[in-house]
Every structure is written in structure tokens, then in C-alpha cells.
Amino acid sequence: METATLNNGLKILYEKRSGSLTSFCIGFQAGAEAEMGFNLGTAHALEHMLFKGTKSRKENEINNEIDSIFGFSNAMTNYPYTIYYGTCRSTDFPSAAELYSDIIMNPLLKDSDFQEERKVILQELKDWREDVDQQCEDVLFYNAFNNKRIKELIIGTEDSIGRITVEELIKFYNRFYNPDNCVISIVSSLPFTDAASIIKNLFEPWEKRYECSENGSIKDSEDSDIIKSGTYIKEENGLQGSRIKYIFDISMLNEEEVYALNIFNEYFGNGVSSLLYDEVRTKGSMAYEVFSSVKAEKGIELFCISLNTSIENCKRAIETVDSLIKNIAESKELNITIEKYKGRYSLKKALEIERTIVLANRLVTYEIMYGDSERLYKEINGSYNTDKDMVSKTVKRILKSPAIQILMSGMSGARHLTSDKIIVECEEDA
């Protein structure tokens, strides 16, 4: 990988790939976590508004050019970042980069446009909430935290979206959409000097308007907020069966420990040969879907266990998961072959970035979240001194005091749960 930094602070990441396509990603540390002092959903609303028109292009012209130039394009707001990315023919990269530079550097941000787009965002919020698995996670985050930004949806609430003004969008844009807060990745067969020159000619005239670091605007918003452990139940009308999700805090882990946890996850719950899948589904026939995952993004640092099961099997599934967790936490040594699971993890990470657009995405997001895009390759190559002892110590640190969310089709299903669990009925929706 090659890198360059422009005079205005914008960072370029370049990875050479053969072929006729170029993928690129433009990212900012300007996600939902940056909304301190702003209404919830401001970062996401601004992402929408950048495509509503520029000083030289109308919205329909932007849409026509996107369809003409890109085979794929998208934008996304997460808690730590907002990104704009796409794939085009390498011969069209100059035009694609110019279009995105105009969208990012010269948005109109008109009030009349936002009044229209607000309706679209509210519909997106409605659609988001119809995903039951996503709702289980969202309600759990709402119940498990006091101050973390992930307590609320990235998109915001009906009330917060209704309070956002164009003036607020402009203020957020001026504060965070600056060249020294911007990272651009390029994955292409074009020579580095050619690709970097295109970005330099377009973006180096861009002058920053606001000193984010001096004003303390980019900072962790979660403070010392810890998970409120316990089991939370919520009735969901129309739901068939139940959804169960566990979360454990991993915010205390360093980079090597996060890698060790990912290796454990391959053994514990990632795959059809995993311990969790074997005990809950293969042997127990208690759940259709069961898996564990590691969320190690800035502000979303969690180890998660997810299950879809029937109300009748809910109690047994929870008891099985609790027993697995207890046995691992109390064991002197894990029965895990490190090299086997390091190989599995590396293979999955390498397969993930086979698509150039995914690689472009990951390079930018790793640079924004960790200040180290090379960390992606360290994970793929297994460049950590991880042994069984480190994995065991890491797991024992985090497998305690979980928050558990259960969505079920009727509150009467609570009788199926063990009586020694703390049951907290949600009094309001997330």
C-alpha cells in the first residue's frame, strides 16, 4: 500500500489491483458520534443532503451522472464515520472523482430540499424498525446504556429528525467536512502517481473552515458508560418466536486482545462447526440461527451472541448459552487450536476484501477508527503473537456481566424463562 498527504491535510491511501475497474472511498470522522451539541440524526441527514444538488449540478444531473459513471455507488453513516464510495471503469475515474469532489466540497444545503428529504429519512426510519433482528439489537442498546451514542439509532428519532434545521446541517458540515478530517482510498490498476494526481488536482484547493481538534468536537461521546447487565424483555406483536441477543463490553481490550477475541470467536460461534452452533442447533435443535460476533468499531466495542428461537425453546437456549459461557470462564485452559482458527479468520478477512469496493471501504474506515489502515493487513496476515494463553486471558476478562435482550411474541412467554434471571420490561420503545 502507498500513501500520500496533501498540503491541506487530506490523506490518500492507494492499493494496486489488476483489472479494468477502480474503486474508491471518501470518508470523514463525522458519524453519529460527532453529534455532541447537535440533534440526533444530523450526520445521517447531511449524508442525504449532499446528493440534493451542488453549486454547479442539480439533483437530477447528479443522479444521471452516477448512473452513467458508476457500476456501484453508495454512502453510509455509521457511529464513527460517514463514507461515500463507488466502483467505476478506470478510464472513468477522473470523472467519477470530479463528481464526488463536487458533491462533497460544494453542496447547496437548501432548506426547501431538506423539507423534501426529511420525509424520505422518516420513511427510512420506519423501514429500519421493521427489521426484527435489527430491532432486537437496537432495543438492547437502548436498555443497556445511559450515555453511549449507540443507545439511540444512527438515523435518530421522529422527534430529533423533526428538529433538525438546515442551519444545523451547515454547522455540522462546516465543522467536520474538512480536508484534514478526510481520508480517500483508491483501489486500482492505475499507477499510484496518476491516481494520486487526480485526487490532488481536485481536492488540494479545498480549504478547511474549522479546527475540529482545537474545539474538542471530535471526541469520544460515551465517557465511562458501562453496560447495565441484566435481562430485558419486550413484547413484539406479530413476531413468530423470539429473538435473543447478548452483549459483553470489550472496550478495555487493546489491538492484540481484540485480535485474540476474534480468534476465539471463530472457535466459539462463527461457523457451523463452532461450539455455540454445535450445542444450540446441531445437538439441541433449539434455534434456526445462532452465532457470535465481535464489534470492535470506535464506540461499538462489544462481543455479541445472537439467537432466533421459539418461545418454547427460549429458556433452554438461554440455559445452554449461559452454561457454555460459565464453562469457558471457569476453565483453566481452552480446548482451542490457535493456528487452525487463525487460518480460518485470515481466510474470511482475505475473502471479504477480494471485492475492491470492500477493500476501499475497509482501508478508509480502519484509518478513521484506528488511525492505522495497515491494521487490516495485520489481521489478514495474523501478524500478532497470539497464543492459547492470551486468548484464554482475554476471554475471561470479557465474558461477564452481559446485557441480554429478548423479543418475544407475547409477554406470557416470560414464564418459560428461569426465575433467577433479572427481567426488566421495557416501558418505552427504543
Side-chain angles (χ1 to χ4, degrees):
M1 186 173 70
E2 298 186 65
T3 67
T5 302
L6 302 185
N7 291 330
N8 57 11
L10 185 148
K11 187 164 189 178
I12 300 171
L13 311 174
Y14 167 87
E15 187 66 68
K16 188 174 182 63
R17 281 283 181 91
S18 61
S20 60
L21 302 179
T22 292
S23 293
F24 66 101
C25 180
I26 305 171
F28 300 87
Q29 188 177 338
E33 276 204 323
E35 291 174 344
M36 294 181 66
F38 294 87
N39 278 300
L40 299 176
T42 298
H44 175 261
L46 179 60
E47 172 218 310
H48 276 240
M49 286 297 294
L50 261 61
F51 293 89
K52 296 294 287 184
T54 72
K55 296 173 183 177
S56 60
R57 287 177 169 94
K58 296 180 181 179
E59 181 180 8
N60 67 318
E61 292 174 326
I62 291 173
N63 293 337
N64 286 334
E65 287 189 59
I66 286 175
D67 280 346
S68 297
I69 298 172
F70 288 94
F72 169 86
S73 67
N74 202 359
M76 178 177 68
T77 302
N78 203 333
Y79 291 101
Y81 54 78
T82 299
I83 57 175
Y84 304 82
Y85 55 114
T87 300
C88 62
R89 294 184 183 91
S90 294
T91 52
D92 287 331
F93 178 58
S95 299
E98 189 280 324
L99 173 60
Y100 266 41
S101 70
D102 189 33
I103 289 170
I104 287 168
M105 294 165 58
N106 305 301
L108 285 181
L109 303 180
K110 291 170 55 180
D111 183 67
S112 58
D113 289 337
F114 182 55
Q115 299 312 317
E116 296 175 0
E117 198 63 22
R118 195 197 309 268
K119 300 172 186 176
V120 175
I121 295 170
L122 289 170
Q123 182 59 49
E124 184 180 354
L125 174 60
K126 181 180 178 182
D127 293 345
W128 180 275
R129 285 179 168 165
E130 290 177 355
D131 183 330
V132 177
D133 294 318
Q134 184 63 56
Q135 185 186 10
C136 185
E137 179 175 277
D138 294 339
V139 174
L140 176 55
F141 289 173
Y142 183 85
N143 288 325
F145 296 103
N146 290 316
N147 303 311
K148 267 186 182 287
R149 178 60 181 86
I150 60 173
K151 179 181 176 69
E152 301 285 358
L153 301 184
I154 292 168
I155 197 171
T157 66
E158 285 90 347
D159 287 344
S160 69
I161 294 168
R163 290 194 301 268
I164 297 171
T165 64
V166 166
E167 289 75 20
E168 189 171 18
L169 295 177
I170 293 171
K171 181 179 179 182
F172 191 90
Y173 173 83
N174 286 336
R175 180 168 294 184
F176 296 109
Y177 280 63
N178 281 287
D180 58 348
N181 191 39
C182 180
V183 181
I184 299 180
S185 66
I186 308 160
V187 182
S188 178
S189 62
L190 294 171
F192 170 65
T193 53
D194 293 354
S197 178
I198 290 168
I199 296 300
K200 180 177 180 179
N201 290 337
L202 291 169
F203 285 91
E204 195 155 59
W206 189 17
E207 297 179 357
K208 63 181 180 181
R209 296 167 299 277
Y210 196 95
E211 194 69 47
C212 297
S213 59
E214 289 183 5
N215 287 272
S217 300
I218 296 180
K219 57 173 287 188
D220 294 340
S221 60
E222 58 265 25
D223 298 323
S224 59
D225 197 7
I226 60 174
I227 291 174
K228 294 185 289 184
S229 61
T231 301
Y232 302 85
I233 279 191
K234 184 176 186 294
E235 179 180 7
E236 184 62 28
N237 294 328
L239 173 64
Q240 298 299 313
S242 61
R243 303 289 189 273
I244 306 167
K245 194 169 190 79
Y246 288 62
I247 56 171
F248 299 83
D249 181 25
I250 67 168
S251 62
M252 77 295 291
L253 302 184
N254 62 32
E255 179 181 335
E256 291 197 356
E257 289 169 330
V258 169
Y259 177 79
L261 181 60
N262 274 299
I263 302 309
F264 167 77
N265 185 54
E266 292 297 321
Y267 158 78
F268 179 76
N270 191 5
V272 294
S273 66
S274 67
L275 178 64
L276 184 64
Y277 191 98
D278 188 52
E279 292 293 328
V280 175
R281 177 167 173 172
T282 303
K283 294 178 182 177
S285 302
M286 288 175 271
Y288 170 70
E289 187 173 37
V290 53
F291 62 93
S292 62
S293 59
V294 179
K295 294 180 182 290
E297 297 186 335
K298 183 174 177 289
I300 324 169
E301 295 150 319
L302 303 167
F303 180 65
C304 311
I305 301 172
S306 303
L307 304 92
N308 292 355
T309 184
S310 66
I311 290 182
E312 292 73 22
N313 283 325
C314 188
K315 172 185 174 182
R316 193 158 61 99
I318 291 175
E319 289 175 341
T320 301
V321 173
D322 288 349
S323 178
L324 289 175
I325 292 170
K326 181 179 179 182
N327 290 340
I328 289 170
E330 294 179 352
S331 64
K332 292 183 179 179
E333 184 178 60
L334 290 176
N335 182 26
I336 176 174
T337 306
I338 295 296
E339 292 307 315
K340 171 185 175 181
Y341 293 105
K342 284 182 70 173
R344 274 178 45 173
Y345 181 67
S346 294
L347 174 61
K348 291 175 182 178
K349 295 291 286 187
L351 183 62
E352 183 180 75
I353 65 166
E354 274 294 296
R355 293 180 61 206
T356 57
I357 189 61
V358 176
L359 176 55
N361 176 313
R362 297 295 184 271
L363 289 174
V364 164
T365 55
Y366 271 54
E367 185 67 31
I368 290 172
M369 291 188 298
Y370 311 125
D372 181 13
S373 53
E374 292 283 359
R375 176 168 167 173
L376 175 64
Y377 295 108
K378 287 191 280 185
E379 292 178 356
I380 293 171
N381 297 327
S383 305
Y384 297 94
N385 296 319
T386 303
D387 56 20
K388 188 182 294 188
D389 184 57
M390 173 178 278
V391 172
S392 181
K393 287 180 179 178
T394 300
V395 170
K396 291 177 186 297
R397 287 185 69 191
I398 65 104
L399 284 184
K400 50 190 175 184
S401 304
I404 307 168
Q405 182 67 55
I406 304 171
L407 290 187
M408 50 177 47
S409 56
M411 292 304 293
S412 59
R415 69 178 183 273
H416 293 282
L417 300 179
T418 51
S419 58
D420 62 338
K421 282 192 169 289
I422 302 171
I423 306 297
V424 179
E425 296 186 12
C426 304
E427 297 181 354
E428 55 183 312
D429 291 340

